[in-house]
Every structure is written in C-alpha cells, then in structure tokens.
Amino acid sequence: LKFSVLHEFGGSRSFHLAALDGETMDYSEDYQDTWEEAGFGGSWHVGRNTNLYADVERSFGGNWNKKWQWNIGVNWQF
C-alpha cells in the first residue's frame, strides 16, 4: 500500500496564438497545486532471477487528475 501527498512548487505556462484571419487566443496555466495519490501493488518471485510486479494508483484532490495508472512488468537479474 502507498499514499503520497504531492505539491508542485513552481511552473506555469502561457501562450498567445494568432491566425492569419486575425483571430487570437491567449491561454495561461499556473501549476502550483497540492494533490494526493493512493495505490497498492506487489512483486512475485517466479524464478531464480525473475520477479513479476504490478501496481495500480489513483490521484485525487487539486487540479491534477490522473484517474488510474496501472504498471505491470518483469524484473530479470543477471
């Protein structure tokens, strides 16, 4: 099981777009925010040098929105 509280301390983005017909668009975003992530997973030893792993996590709170993230893999040591 895992639980994290994350905070973005800086970072922003802004841009101005202009089309040939004179239409314009301005956009800016400030990424300073705090959010939480919770997840669970495990690792399974399947051979002398081989492990399988899997985990899933979800974020909530703040403007950052990652609904679900799944990670599955194999770790082989030589």
Side-chain angles (χ1 to χ4, degrees):
L1 294 175
K2 61 182 174 179
F3 180 81
S4 302
V5 176
L6 305 155
H7 180 77
E8 176 67 44
F9 289 97
S12 62
R13 170 179 65 175
S14 61
F15 57 87
H16 173 79
L17 300 173
L20 294 175
D21 65 2
E23 185 177 358
T24 63
M25 179 181 143
D26 293 300
Y27 179 81
S28 65
E29 183 75 43
D30 181 7
Y31 296 107
Q32 296 185 32
D33 202 0
T34 302
W35 66 97
E36 298 81 27
E37 289 185 350
F40 64 94
S43 178
W44 299 271
H45 187 71
V46 294
R48 194 175 123 216
N49 298 330
T50 308
N51 290 309
L52 299 175
Y53 65 88
D55 68 56
V56 61
E57 64 183 40
R58 181 179 173 105
S59 70
F60 49 94
N63 291 330
W64 178 256
N65 187 9
K66 175 178 63 178
K67 290 186 178 182
W68 293 101
Q69 176 177 328
W70 295 82
N71 298 301
I72 300 171
V74 176
N75 182 357
W76 181 66
Q77 298 176 351
F78 56 94

